Amino acid sequence: MKIHLVTYTPQPKKAIAAAFLNMGIGQDTEHLNQITDKQANDALSEIFKSHLDAPLEFASFNLFWQDIPLFMRAQLVRHRVGWGFAERSLRFFDVNLRKKAVENYDWEAIPTVTDKPTKKDVFGGLSSRQIIEKEMNRQLELYSLLLEEGIDQQDARNVIGVFYPTAMQTTCTYRALRAMMADRLSSQAHPFWQKAAKQIKALITSVDSVLGDGLIDSCEIAQRCVWRSKYDRDCESCIKRGWEK
């Protein structure tokens, strides 16, 4: 799984600052070079302190999500506000073109699946990784057999599980991205999401360190642990911070 930053608003920090300075102090901005880096940094600092964060919508980022599992794609499209999606369609794309889909699977992102032999006789002593790997390959074999029988790709794809690596093109405002990252940078997020969030944060930081620093988890934004339901897991991030969990 890898995420790429394809395009983004030129001078995104100043684009955000222009909207904020107009809204906050009535400053006319006809060209972004009228705004200094210090003014832009100060503007971002004030926006991050406030609930009135609409100026963050004035910068957008276009990301390409390469080889993300289908289950992750399903969760990604739940971030509806401020996002646009173009999903690779398995109705047209032949799954067989991803010959190494199983071989290249990101096993590190599912840490409880290991090479340790299982205990149940039904598994024949195979490890949990071997069991899942065999099932993944079986699904791809079934898909190929169905195509050979003349079944359309759009119908044969129904035997493919949520592990399959797909691709997404997304566009989002910085405001929407920050809201999504607040959840996905959290220790509560799925390991796949935590890896993706770290990649995105690094990409945005490479464009502008202030914008990158603004991508923080929901507890850091609230300055308290927000995972307090009896259904929540312990928040590892807040435990490390020494905050009440």
Short mmCIF file of all heavy atoms in Angstrom, two decimals, residues 182-229:
data_model
loop_
_atom_site.label_atom_id
_atom_site.label_comp_id
_atom_site.label_asym_id
_atom_site.label_seq_id
_atom_site.Cartn_x
_atom_site.Cartn_y
_atom_site.Cartn_z
N ALA A 182 -7.68 13.29 11.95
CA ALA A 182 -7.89 13.32 13.40
C ALA A 182 -8.28 11.94 13.92
O ALA A 182 -7.87 11.53 15.01
CB ALA A 182 -8.98 14.35 13.74
N ASP A 183 -9.07 11.21 13.13
CA ASP A 183 -9.46 9.85 13.51
C ASP A 183 -8.39 8.83 13.13
O ASP A 183 -8.09 7.91 13.90
CB ASP A 183 -10.78 9.47 12.84
CG ASP A 183 -11.96 10.20 13.44
OD1 ASP A 183 -11.84 10.69 14.58
OD2 ASP A 183 -13.00 10.28 12.76
N ARG A 184 -7.81 8.99 11.94
CA ARG A 184 -6.94 7.95 11.41
C ARG A 184 -5.52 7.98 11.98
O ARG A 184 -4.81 6.99 11.89
CB ARG A 184 -6.89 8.04 9.88
CG ARG A 184 -8.26 7.94 9.21
CD ARG A 184 -9.04 6.72 9.65
NE ARG A 184 -10.31 6.60 8.95
CZ ARG A 184 -11.19 5.64 9.15
NH1 ARG A 184 -10.95 4.71 10.06
NH2 ARG A 184 -12.33 5.59 8.47
N LEU A 185 -5.11 9.12 12.55
CA LEU A 185 -3.82 9.17 13.24
C LEU A 185 -3.92 8.64 14.66
O LEU A 185 -2.92 8.44 15.33
CB LEU A 185 -3.29 10.61 13.28
CG LEU A 185 -2.66 11.16 11.99
CD1 LEU A 185 -2.43 12.65 12.10
CD2 LEU A 185 -1.35 10.44 11.67
N SER A 186 -5.15 8.40 15.11
CA SER A 186 -5.38 7.92 16.47
C SER A 186 -4.92 6.47 16.61
O SER A 186 -4.94 5.68 15.66
CB SER A 186 -6.87 8.01 16.80
OG SER A 186 -7.16 7.31 17.99
N SER A 187 -4.50 6.10 17.81
CA SER A 187 -4.14 4.72 18.09
C SER A 187 -5.36 3.80 18.02
O SER A 187 -5.21 2.58 18.02
CB SER A 187 -3.49 4.61 19.48
OG SER A 187 -4.35 5.12 20.48
N GLN A 188 -6.56 4.38 17.96
CA GLN A 188 -7.78 3.59 17.82
C GLN A 188 -7.96 3.08 16.39
O GLN A 188 -8.74 2.17 16.14
CB GLN A 188 -9.00 4.44 18.20
CG GLN A 188 -9.00 4.95 19.62
CD GLN A 188 -9.25 3.85 20.63
OE1 GLN A 188 -9.95 2.89 20.35
NE2 GLN A 188 -8.69 3.98 21.82
N ALA A 189 -7.28 3.72 15.43
CA ALA A 189 -7.47 3.37 14.02
C ALA A 189 -6.87 2.00 13.70
O ALA A 189 -5.95 1.53 14.36
CB ALA A 189 -6.83 4.45 13.14
N HIS A 190 -7.40 1.37 12.65
CA HIS A 190 -6.89 0.09 12.17
C HIS A 190 -5.42 0.26 11.75
O HIS A 190 -5.04 1.33 11.26
CB HIS A 190 -7.73 -0.37 10.97
CG HIS A 190 -7.40 -1.76 10.49
ND1 HIS A 190 -6.32 -2.02 9.67
CD2 HIS A 190 -8.01 -2.95 10.72
CE1 HIS A 190 -6.27 -3.32 9.41
NE2 HIS A 190 -7.27 -3.90 10.03
N PRO A 191 -4.58 -0.76 11.93
CA PRO A 191 -3.16 -0.65 11.56
C PRO A 191 -2.95 -0.18 10.12
O PRO A 191 -2.02 0.58 9.84
CB PRO A 191 -2.63 -2.06 11.78
CG PRO A 191 -3.48 -2.61 12.88
CD PRO A 191 -4.86 -2.03 12.63
N PHE A 192 -3.79 -0.64 9.17
CA PHE A 192 -3.66 -0.18 7.78
C PHE A 192 -3.85 1.33 7.72
O PHE A 192 -3.14 2.04 7.01
CB PHE A 192 -4.72 -0.86 6.90
CG PHE A 192 -4.22 -2.07 6.17
CD1 PHE A 192 -4.58 -3.35 6.58
CD2 PHE A 192 -3.38 -1.95 5.08
CE1 PHE A 192 -4.13 -4.47 5.91
CE2 PHE A 192 -2.92 -3.07 4.39
CZ PHE A 192 -3.29 -4.33 4.82
N TRP A 193 -4.85 1.83 8.46
CA TRP A 193 -5.14 3.26 8.46
C TRP A 193 -4.03 4.05 9.12
O TRP A 193 -3.69 5.16 8.69
CB TRP A 193 -6.47 3.52 9.15
CG TRP A 193 -7.61 3.54 8.19
CD1 TRP A 193 -8.62 2.63 8.09
CD2 TRP A 193 -7.85 4.51 7.16
NE1 TRP A 193 -9.47 2.98 7.06
CE2 TRP A 193 -9.02 4.13 6.48
CE3 TRP A 193 -7.18 5.67 6.76
CZ2 TRP A 193 -9.55 4.86 5.42
CZ3 TRP A 193 -7.70 6.40 5.69
CH2 TRP A 193 -8.86 6.00 5.04
N GLN A 194 -3.46 3.51 10.18
CA GLN A 194 -2.37 4.22 10.85
C GLN A 194 -1.18 4.38 9.91
O GLN A 194 -0.54 5.44 9.87
CB GLN A 194 -1.96 3.48 12.12
CG GLN A 194 -3.03 3.52 13.22
CD GLN A 194 -2.54 2.92 14.52
OE1 GLN A 194 -1.44 3.21 14.98
NE2 GLN A 194 -3.35 2.07 15.13
N LYS A 195 -0.90 3.33 9.10
CA LYS A 195 0.19 3.43 8.14
C LYS A 195 -0.13 4.45 7.06
O LYS A 195 0.72 5.25 6.66
CB LYS A 195 0.45 2.06 7.50
CG LYS A 195 1.01 1.02 8.45
CD LYS A 195 1.48 -0.23 7.72
CE LYS A 195 2.78 0.01 6.99
NZ LYS A 195 3.39 -1.23 6.49
N ALA A 196 -1.38 4.44 6.58
CA ALA A 196 -1.78 5.38 5.54
C ALA A 196 -1.72 6.82 6.06
O ALA A 196 -1.23 7.72 5.36
CB ALA A 196 -3.20 5.06 5.08
N ALA A 197 -2.19 7.03 7.27
CA ALA A 197 -2.21 8.38 7.85
C ALA A 197 -0.79 8.93 7.99
O ALA A 197 -0.55 10.12 7.74
CB ALA A 197 -2.92 8.36 9.20
N LYS A 198 0.14 8.08 8.40
CA LYS A 198 1.53 8.53 8.54
C LYS A 198 2.12 8.90 7.18
O LYS A 198 2.89 9.87 7.06
CB LYS A 198 2.36 7.45 9.22
CG LYS A 198 2.02 7.29 10.70
CD LYS A 198 2.77 6.12 11.32
CE LYS A 198 2.37 5.94 12.79
NZ LYS A 198 3.01 4.75 13.40
N GLN A 199 1.76 8.14 6.14
CA GLN A 199 2.23 8.47 4.79
C GLN A 199 1.69 9.82 4.34
O GLN A 199 2.42 10.65 3.78
CB GLN A 199 1.81 7.39 3.80
CG GLN A 199 2.57 6.10 3.89
CD GLN A 199 2.23 5.15 2.75
OE1 GLN A 199 2.09 5.54 1.59
NE2 GLN A 199 2.06 3.88 3.09
N ILE A 200 0.39 10.04 4.59
CA ILE A 200 -0.24 11.30 4.17
C ILE A 200 0.37 12.48 4.91
O ILE A 200 0.65 13.53 4.32
CB ILE A 200 -1.76 11.23 4.40
CG1 ILE A 200 -2.38 10.18 3.46
CG2 ILE A 200 -2.40 12.60 4.16
CD1 ILE A 200 -3.84 9.90 3.76
N LYS A 201 0.56 12.32 6.21
CA LYS A 201 1.14 13.40 7.00
C LYS A 201 2.52 13.77 6.46
O LYS A 201 2.88 14.96 6.35
CB LYS A 201 1.24 12.99 8.47
CG LYS A 201 1.77 14.10 9.39
CD LYS A 201 1.79 13.65 10.84
CE LYS A 201 2.44 14.68 11.75
NZ LYS A 201 1.63 15.89 11.94
N ALA A 202 3.32 12.76 6.09
CA ALA A 202 4.65 13.01 5.54
C ALA A 202 4.57 13.74 4.20
O ALA A 202 5.37 14.64 3.92
CB ALA A 202 5.42 11.69 5.39
N LEU A 203 3.58 13.37 3.38
CA LEU A 203 3.41 14.02 2.07
C LEU A 203 3.04 15.49 2.24
O LEU A 203 3.60 16.36 1.56
CB LEU A 203 2.33 13.29 1.26
CG LEU A 203 2.68 11.90 0.74
CD1 LEU A 203 1.44 11.22 0.18
CD2 LEU A 203 3.77 11.99 -0.33
N ILE A 204 2.10 15.78 3.13
CA ILE A 204 1.68 17.17 3.35
C ILE A 204 2.80 17.97 3.98
O ILE A 204 3.02 19.14 3.62
CB ILE A 204 0.41 17.22 4.23
CG1 ILE A 204 -0.72 16.40 3.59
CG2 ILE A 204 -0.03 18.67 4.42
CD1 ILE A 204 -1.10 16.79 2.19
N THR A 205 3.55 17.36 4.87
CA THR A 205 4.69 18.04 5.50
C THR A 205 5.75 18.41 4.47
O THR A 205 6.40 19.45 4.59
CB THR A 205 5.30 17.15 6.60
OG1 THR A 205 4.30 16.86 7.59
CG2 THR A 205 6.47 17.83 7.27
N SER A 206 5.91 17.56 3.45
CA SER A 206 6.89 17.86 2.40
C SER A 206 6.49 19.09 1.59
O SER A 206 7.34 19.76 1.01
CB SER A 206 7.06 16.65 1.47
OG SER A 206 5.91 16.45 0.66
N VAL A 207 5.18 19.38 1.55
CA VAL A 207 4.69 20.58 0.87
C VAL A 207 4.85 21.80 1.77
O VAL A 207 5.34 22.85 1.35
CB VAL A 207 3.21 20.41 0.47
CG1 VAL A 207 2.64 21.71 -0.09
CG2 VAL A 207 3.06 19.29 -0.55
N ASP A 208 4.43 21.65 3.03
CA ASP A 208 4.53 22.75 3.99
C ASP A 208 4.52 22.16 5.40
O ASP A 208 3.57 21.46 5.78
CB ASP A 208 3.37 23.73 3.82
CG ASP A 208 3.55 24.98 4.66
OD1 ASP A 208 3.27 24.93 5.87
OD2 ASP A 208 3.98 26.00 4.11
N SER A 209 5.54 22.45 6.17
CA SER A 209 5.68 21.86 7.50
C SER A 209 4.58 22.31 8.45
O SER A 209 4.15 21.54 9.32
CB SER A 209 7.05 22.19 8.10
OG SER A 209 7.22 23.59 8.23
N VAL A 210 4.09 23.55 8.29
CA VAL A 210 3.02 24.04 9.17
C VAL A 210 1.73 23.28 8.91
O VAL A 210 1.02 22.89 9.85
CB VAL A 210 2.81 25.56 8.99
CG1 VAL A 210 1.61 26.03 9.80
CG2 VAL A 210 4.05 26.33 9.39
N LEU A 211 1.42 23.05 7.63
CA LEU A 211 0.23 22.26 7.30
C LEU A 211 0.40 20.82 7.78
O LEU A 211 -0.56 20.20 8.27
CB LEU A 211 -0.02 22.29 5.80
CG LEU A 211 -0.44 23.64 5.20
CD1 LEU A 211 -0.57 23.53 3.69
CD2 LEU A 211 -1.76 24.12 5.81
N GLY A 212 1.61 20.28 7.66
CA GLY A 212 1.86 18.93 8.15
C GLY A 212 1.70 18.84 9.65
O GLY A 212 1.10 17.89 10.16
N ASP A 213 2.21 19.84 10.37
CA ASP A 213 2.09 19.85 11.83
C ASP A 213 0.64 19.99 12.27
O ASP A 213 0.29 19.60 13.40
CB ASP A 213 2.90 21.01 12.42
CG ASP A 213 4.41 20.80 12.30
OD1 ASP A 213 4.82 19.65 12.07
OD2 ASP A 213 5.16 21.79 12.44
N GLY A 214 -0.21 20.53 11.40
CA GLY A 214 -1.62 20.70 11.74
C GLY A 214 -2.42 19.42 11.68
O GLY A 214 -3.59 19.39 12.11
N LEU A 215 -1.84 18.37 11.13
CA LEU A 215 -2.51 17.08 11.05
C LEU A 215 -2.18 16.28 12.30
O LEU A 215 -1.10 15.70 12.43
CB LEU A 215 -2.07 16.33 9.79
CG LEU A 215 -2.34 17.04 8.46
CD1 LEU A 215 -1.78 16.24 7.29
CD2 LEU A 215 -3.83 17.31 8.27
N ILE A 216 -3.09 16.28 13.25
CA ILE A 216 -2.90 15.64 14.55
C ILE A 216 -4.14 14.84 14.91
O ILE A 216 -5.21 15.01 14.30
CB ILE A 216 -2.60 16.68 15.66
CG1 ILE A 216 -3.70 17.75 15.70
CG2 ILE A 216 -1.24 17.32 15.42
CD1 ILE A 216 -3.48 18.83 16.76
N ASP A 217 -4.02 13.95 15.88
CA ASP A 217 -5.16 13.10 16.22
C ASP A 217 -6.21 13.86 17.04
O ASP A 217 -5.94 14.95 17.57
CB ASP A 217 -4.70 11.83 16.96
CG ASP A 217 -4.19 12.10 18.35
OD1 ASP A 217 -5.02 12.32 19.25
OD2 ASP A 217 -2.96 12.09 18.55
N SER A 218 -7.38 13.30 17.13
CA SER A 218 -8.53 13.97 17.73
C SER A 218 -8.32 14.33 19.20
O SER A 218 -8.81 15.35 19.68
CB SER A 218 -9.79 13.11 17.58
OG SER A 218 -9.56 11.79 18.03
N CYS A 219 -7.57 13.50 19.91
CA CYS A 219 -7.31 13.79 21.33
C CYS A 219 -6.42 15.01 21.49
O CYS A 219 -6.64 15.84 22.36
CB CYS A 219 -6.68 12.59 22.02
SG CYS A 219 -7.74 11.12 22.05
N GLU A 220 -5.41 15.12 20.61
CA GLU A 220 -4.51 16.27 20.67
C GLU A 220 -5.26 17.55 20.31
O GLU A 220 -5.00 18.61 20.89
CB GLU A 220 -3.32 16.06 19.74
CG GLU A 220 -2.19 17.05 19.99
CD GLU A 220 -0.93 16.71 19.22
OE1 GLU A 220 -0.84 15.60 18.66
OE2 GLU A 220 -0.03 17.56 19.17
N ILE A 221 -6.20 17.46 19.37
CA ILE A 221 -7.00 18.63 19.02
C ILE A 221 -7.85 19.06 20.21
O ILE A 221 -7.93 20.24 20.55
CB ILE A 221 -7.91 18.32 17.81
CG1 ILE A 221 -7.07 18.17 16.54
CG2 ILE A 221 -8.95 19.43 17.61
CD1 ILE A 221 -7.86 17.71 15.33
N ALA A 222 -8.49 18.10 20.88
CA ALA A 222 -9.38 18.40 22.01
C ALA A 222 -8.63 18.66 23.30
O ALA A 222 -9.20 19.17 24.27
CB ALA A 222 -10.36 17.24 22.22
N GLN A 223 -7.33 18.30 23.33
CA GLN A 223 -6.51 18.42 24.53
C GLN A 223 -7.06 17.57 25.69
O GLN A 223 -6.94 17.93 26.86
CB GLN A 223 -6.36 19.88 24.95
CG GLN A 223 -5.42 20.67 24.06
CD GLN A 223 -3.99 20.15 24.11
OE1 GLN A 223 -3.33 20.24 25.12
NE2 GLN A 223 -3.51 19.61 22.98
N ARG A 224 -7.67 16.47 25.33
CA ARG A 224 -8.14 15.47 26.29
C ARG A 224 -8.44 14.19 25.52
O ARG A 224 -8.61 14.23 24.30
CB ARG A 224 -9.41 15.93 27.02
CG ARG A 224 -10.63 16.07 26.12
CD ARG A 224 -11.89 16.37 26.91
NE ARG A 224 -13.05 16.50 26.04
CZ ARG A 224 -13.77 15.48 25.58
NH1 ARG A 224 -13.44 14.23 25.92
NH2 ARG A 224 -14.82 15.67 24.80
N CYS A 225 -8.51 13.08 26.20
CA CYS A 225 -8.85 11.84 25.51
C CYS A 225 -10.33 11.84 25.17
O CYS A 225 -11.19 12.05 26.04
CB CYS A 225 -8.51 10.64 26.39
SG CYS A 225 -8.72 9.07 25.50
N VAL A 226 -10.64 11.61 23.90
CA VAL A 226 -12.04 11.63 23.46
C VAL A 226 -12.64 10.22 23.39
O VAL A 226 -13.83 10.06 23.08
CB VAL A 226 -12.18 12.31 22.08
CG1 VAL A 226 -11.67 13.73 22.14
CG2 VAL A 226 -11.46 11.52 20.99
N TRP A 227 -11.81 9.20 23.68
CA TRP A 227 -12.29 7.82 23.58
C TRP A 227 -12.70 7.33 24.96
O TRP A 227 -11.96 6.64 25.64
CB TRP A 227 -11.20 6.93 22.97
CG TRP A 227 -10.70 7.46 21.66
CD1 TRP A 227 -9.54 8.12 21.43
CD2 TRP A 227 -11.37 7.37 20.39
NE1 TRP A 227 -9.43 8.46 20.11
CE2 TRP A 227 -10.54 8.02 19.44
CE3 TRP A 227 -12.59 6.83 19.96
CZ2 TRP A 227 -10.88 8.13 18.10
CZ3 TRP A 227 -12.92 6.94 18.62
CH2 TRP A 227 -12.08 7.58 17.72
N ARG A 228 -13.90 7.70 25.39
CA ARG A 228 -14.33 7.43 26.75
C ARG A 228 -15.56 6.52 26.85
O ARG A 228 -16.08 6.30 27.94
CB ARG A 228 -14.60 8.76 27.47
CG ARG A 228 -13.33 9.61 27.60
CD ARG A 228 -13.52 10.79 28.50
NE ARG A 228 -12.26 11.47 28.76
CZ ARG A 228 -12.11 12.47 29.61
NH1 ARG A 228 -13.15 12.92 30.28
NH2 ARG A 228 -10.93 13.04 29.80
N SER A 229 -16.03 6.06 25.73
CA SER A 229 -17.17 5.15 25.76
C SER A 229 -16.73 3.79 26.31
O SER A 229 -15.56 3.41 26.19
CB SER A 229 -17.73 4.96 24.34
OG SER A 229 -18.58 3.83 24.28
#
